[in-house]
């Protein structure tokens, strides 16, 4: 489906169907008010009604924040796809540029379906939606549409990666995807394999992947525009599959574990969109692509591993593997780049889902102002976040009797103790620059919510890009 906007009147556009908006339940203000009232359509936000005899499709709009506009648009496009119309036209008049961007993002996100593994694919009839613009700020709306298309495409790209099966997307394949992005967008890409890990003193990431038949990879993908305003490092957990290792997951818990690479996929999606939009920010993506399996070579509870910064780690549970991978990748990232900000993305803990639910990303770090800036980025992005506060008492839970630190703690505060484990590998000079995003809740869904259907959601992509776009304005 293509989205376009033209500097023409609505009547000048040709389409199979006209999309019209009922604002604030003002049914009386439209041409078909009597008919809509007769069939009981009230114009509630996000609801829709087709009048086939008039070739008109009505959508109710009441809430003009990004999240609700995206949901209304996603609901609308899902309804439109059930009909046989191939083209739709609509006026952009209900929107300003920012709300138009949100609505267009919702259309693209709502149109998404992952059908790669379906033997029979239903053809999509809806091919184009064209908006008519009448006013003096056409260029602002063009820019809004360009942004929406790039951000939504990057989100859907991320969804595709998350939804790809572990037998098709393993560490070497993730490295290939990074190389393909580098070729397409003229990025720099360096790959390190596990043969180099021990030379670099990265025993933690090495041991997590040792039992897999797939060679682990550390990916460094860089977008370097001229005269960047800031330099940002993004670090992604890329567990292409997580069996739990010798601390084996229950069978039901192994389902959906292809989503344990969602942090790495988000990093790739963010860089893709930033390059496409030519944001004036230098971005370095660091990804630990690893498969956590069982076998004679598997690392074990009671092992003590040495991370790149020399910290020794007592392994008490091999299913707490993501933090081990991130420990080495965070150290490596800080050694290679001296950034203004460091953000890591990981489906790290079920405890974060218990704390915040399925829909919100947990935000952790030391810089309260920086954390608050991501709460503000919720509004234009449509994503949801919740801040979880560190405290010094929880650090005591990480102490080990046999090593410097242990990889799991007791039952309570698991999301925070995992974040504090990562904090152990953040250099002092970078503490105020670092944010940890636990996306375990929103990264994957087995029931539709918001703009999402089944599967990967692209969590972190829209949020971070909205934050970056605000940073560019400063």
């Amino acid at each position: 489906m293509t989205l376009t906007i033209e500097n023409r009147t609505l009547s000048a556009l040709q389409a199979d169907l006209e999309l019209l908006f009922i604002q604030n339940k003002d049914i009386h203000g439209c041409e078909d008010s009597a008919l809509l009232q007769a069939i009981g359509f009230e114009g509630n936000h996000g609801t829709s009604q087709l009048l086939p005899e008039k070739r008109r499709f009505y959508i109710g709009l009441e809430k003009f924040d990004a999240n609700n506009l995206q949901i209304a648009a996603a609901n609308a496009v899902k309804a439109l796809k059930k009909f046989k119309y191939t083209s739709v036209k609509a006026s952009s008049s209900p929107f300003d540029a920012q709300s138009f961007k949100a609505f267009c993002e919702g259309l693209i996100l709502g149109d998404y379906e992952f059908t790669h593994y379906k033997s029979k694919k239903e053809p999509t009839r809806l091919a184009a939606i064209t908006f008519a613009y009448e006013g003096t700020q056409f260029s602002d709306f063009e820019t809004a549409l360009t942004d929406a298309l790039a951000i939504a495409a990057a989100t859907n790209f991320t969804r595709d990666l998350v939804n790809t099966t572990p037998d098709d997307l393993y560490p070497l394949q993730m490295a290939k995807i990074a190389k393909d992005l580098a070729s397409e967008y003229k990025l720099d890409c360096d790959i390190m394999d596990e043969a180099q890990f021990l030379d670099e003193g990265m025993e933690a990431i090495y041991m997590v992947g040792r039992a897999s038949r797939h060679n682990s990879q550390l990916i460094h993908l860089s977008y370097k525009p001229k005269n960047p305003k800031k330099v940002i490092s993004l670090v992604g957990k890329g567990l292409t599959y997580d069996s739990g290792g010798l601390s084996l997951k229950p069978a039901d818990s192994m389902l959906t574990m292809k989503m344990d690479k969602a942090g790495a996929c988000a990093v790739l999606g963010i860089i893709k969109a930033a390059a496409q939009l030519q944001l004036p920010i230098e971005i370095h993506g660091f990804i630990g692509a690893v498969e956590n399996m069982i076998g004679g070579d598997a690392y074990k509870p009671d092992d003590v591993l040495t991370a790149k910064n020399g910290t020794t780690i007592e392994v008490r549970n091999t299913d707490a593997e993501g933090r081990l991978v991130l420990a080495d990748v965070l150290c490596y990232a800080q050694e290679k780049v001296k950034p203004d900000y460091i953000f890591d993305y990981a489906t790290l803990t079920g405890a974060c889902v218990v704390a915040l639910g399925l829909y919100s990303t947990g935000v952790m770090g030391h810089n309260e102002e920086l954390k608050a800036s991501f709460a503000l980025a919720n509004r234009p992005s449509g994503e949801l976040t919740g801040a979880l506060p560190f405290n010094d008492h929880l650090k005591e839970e990480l102490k080990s009797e046999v090593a410097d630190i242990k990889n799991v703690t007791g039952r309570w505060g698991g999301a925070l103790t995992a974040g504090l484990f990562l904090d152990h590998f953040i250099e002092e000079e970078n503490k105020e620059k670092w944010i940890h995003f636990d996306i375990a809740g929103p990264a994957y869904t087995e029931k539709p919510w918001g703009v999402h259907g089944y599967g990967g959601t692209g969590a972190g992509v829209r949020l971070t890009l909205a934050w970056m776009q605000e940073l560019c304005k400063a």
Side-chain angles (χ1 to χ4, degrees):
M1 184 184 73
T2 61
L3 292 186
T4 54
I5 186 167
E6 297 189 18
N7 198 0
R8 303 167 68 186
T9 63
L10 184 63
S11 60
L13 299 179
Q14 299 297 315
D16 296 338
L17 189 70
E18 182 178 348
L19 188 157
L20 298 105
F21 302 99
I22 301 294
Q23 296 185 63
N24 301 315
K25 300 183 183 179
D26 185 16
I27 297 288
H28 301 288
C30 74
E31 184 178 342
D32 299 307
S33 60
L35 183 54
L36 290 171
Q37 289 179 79
I39 59 179
F41 181 68
E42 298 179 352
N44 293 320
H45 185 82
T47 60
S48 60
Q49 180 64 54
L50 174 68
L51 300 180
E53 67 278 21
K54 299 292 187 75
R55 289 186 175 267
R56 293 179 184 142
F57 183 77
Y58 284 90
I59 302 175
L61 293 181
E62 297 177 79
K63 305 167 186 176
F64 276 73
D65 61 283
N67 184 50
N68 280 294
L69 283 173
Q70 289 171 357
I71 292 171
N75 290 344
V77 79
K78 288 172 184 175
L80 286 167
K81 288 172 69 174
K82 296 177 181 178
F83 310 134
K84 294 185 178 180
Y85 304 108
T86 61
S87 59
V88 176
K89 66 178 182 178
S91 172
S92 62
S93 59
F95 307 109
D96 59 19
Q98 193 65 27
S99 59
F100 179 67
K101 172 178 175 286
F103 192 81
C104 289
E105 280 185 28
L107 291 173
I108 299 296
L109 296 172
D111 183 49
Y112 176 83
E113 295 178 57
F114 186 73
T115 61
H116 178 75
Y117 297 106
K118 296 282 188 181
S119 60
K120 296 180 181 178
K121 298 178 175 61
E122 290 294 326
T124 300
R125 296 184 180 92
L126 182 61
I129 299 178
T130 305
F131 288 91
Y133 179 83
E134 299 177 63
T136 59
Q137 304 296 321
F138 181 65
S139 62
D140 292 345
F141 277 71
E142 279 189 308
T143 299
L145 179 58
T146 298
D147 285 1
L149 293 175
I151 293 168
T155 304
N156 287 344
F157 167 80
T158 303
R159 287 167 156 180
D160 280 346
L161 297 183
V162 173
N163 289 330
T164 302
T165 63
D167 206 44
D168 286 341
L169 209 172
Y170 43 89
L172 278 169
Q173 186 64 19
M174 185 168 280
K176 181 183 181 302
I177 291 166
K179 291 175 183 177
D180 290 344
L181 284 176
S183 177
E184 182 177 359
Y185 294 103
K186 296 181 172 58
L187 312 176
D188 294 335
C189 187
D190 296 312
I191 309 292
M192 180 189 301
D193 67 20
E194 61 186 25
Q196 301 166 271
F197 290 168
L198 295 183
D199 290 339
E200 290 283 339
M202 297 191 295
E203 187 181 27
I205 185 174
Y206 171 80
M207 292 293 282
V208 172
R210 191 174 66 174
S212 172
R213 67 188 180 93
H214 295 297
N215 195 300
S216 300
Q217 307 284 290
L218 197 160
I219 301 161
H220 180 191
L221 185 66
S222 308
Y223 163 65
K224 299 177 181 178
K226 293 181 180 179
N227 304 315
K229 290 189 174 184
K230 297 289 182 180
V231 178
I232 300 176
S233 287
L234 309 178
V235 176
K237 173 188 171 184
L239 265 292
T240 60
Y241 189 74
D242 177 23
S243 69
L246 291 179
S247 304
L248 195 65
K249 291 179 183 290
D252 287 349
S253 297
M254 285 197 209
L255 289 171
T256 75
M257 274 299 102
K258 62 185 179 182
M259 57 83 75
D260 218 16
K261 60 184 180 292
C265 299
V267 169
L268 294 173
I270 293 164
I271 294 179
K272 179 182 187 297
Q276 189 173 347
L277 293 170
Q278 299 181 352
L279 296 183
I281 299 172
E282 183 175 318
I283 304 173
H284 294 265
F286 295 90
I287 289 169
V290 184
E291 187 179 60
N292 184 25
M293 298 297 286
I294 60 174
D297 268 356
Y299 79 119
K300 308 166 188 69
D302 283 342
D303 278 344
V304 174
L305 314 180
T306 303
K308 184 170 176 57
N309 68 349
T311 298
T312 57
I313 306 165
E314 178 191 359
V315 177
R316 296 182 68 87
N317 189 317
T318 63
D319 196 23
E321 84 300 324
R323 65 199 70 183
L324 298 175
V325 170
L326 287 174
D328 274 338
V329 180
L330 283 166
C331 290
Y332 181 81
Q334 291 169 95
E335 180 182 282
K336 291 296 179 182
V337 178
K338 301 302 178 186
D340 297 294
Y341 301 101
I342 304 171
F343 306 141
D344 75 73
Y345 304 81
T347 48
L348 206 62
T349 65
C352 194
V353 188
V354 173
L356 296 175
L358 290 167
Y359 313 114
S360 297
T361 292
V363 181
M364 288 164 255
H366 301 283
N367 188 325
E368 297 301 322
E369 185 178 348
L370 185 57
K371 286 193 292 183
S373 69
F374 276 95
L376 292 175
N378 284 346
R379 298 172 187 173
S381 75
E383 292 199 46
L384 303 172
T385 64
L388 297 175
F390 286 156
N391 69 72
D392 288 340
H393 300 292
L394 284 171
K395 289 182 180 179
E396 297 296 315
E397 299 292 317
L398 290 165
K399 289 184 176 178
S400 167
E401 296 298 323
V402 297
D404 299 332
I405 194 171
K406 57 189 177 184
N407 76 326
V408 291
T409 61
R411 177 181 179 185
W412 308 114
L416 283 163
T417 53
L420 285 168
F421 178 93
L422 297 182
D423 176 59
H424 202 86
F425 302 91
I426 301 296
E427 296 171 8
E428 196 62 39
E429 66 188 42
N430 293 325
K431 297 286 190 186
E432 294 292 313
K433 303 176 182 179
W434 168 66
I435 293 286
H436 163 54
F437 295 101
D438 191 330
I439 58 173
Y444 195 90
T445 181
E446 295 185 88
K447 62 179 182 179
W449 63 272
V451 298
H452 309 297
Y454 185 94
T457 65
V461 174
R462 290 178 293 147
L463 174 70
T464 306
L465 289 167
W467 184 88
M468 286 181 176
Q469 287 182 314
E470 285 300 310
L471 184 65
C472 293
K473 297 174 185 177

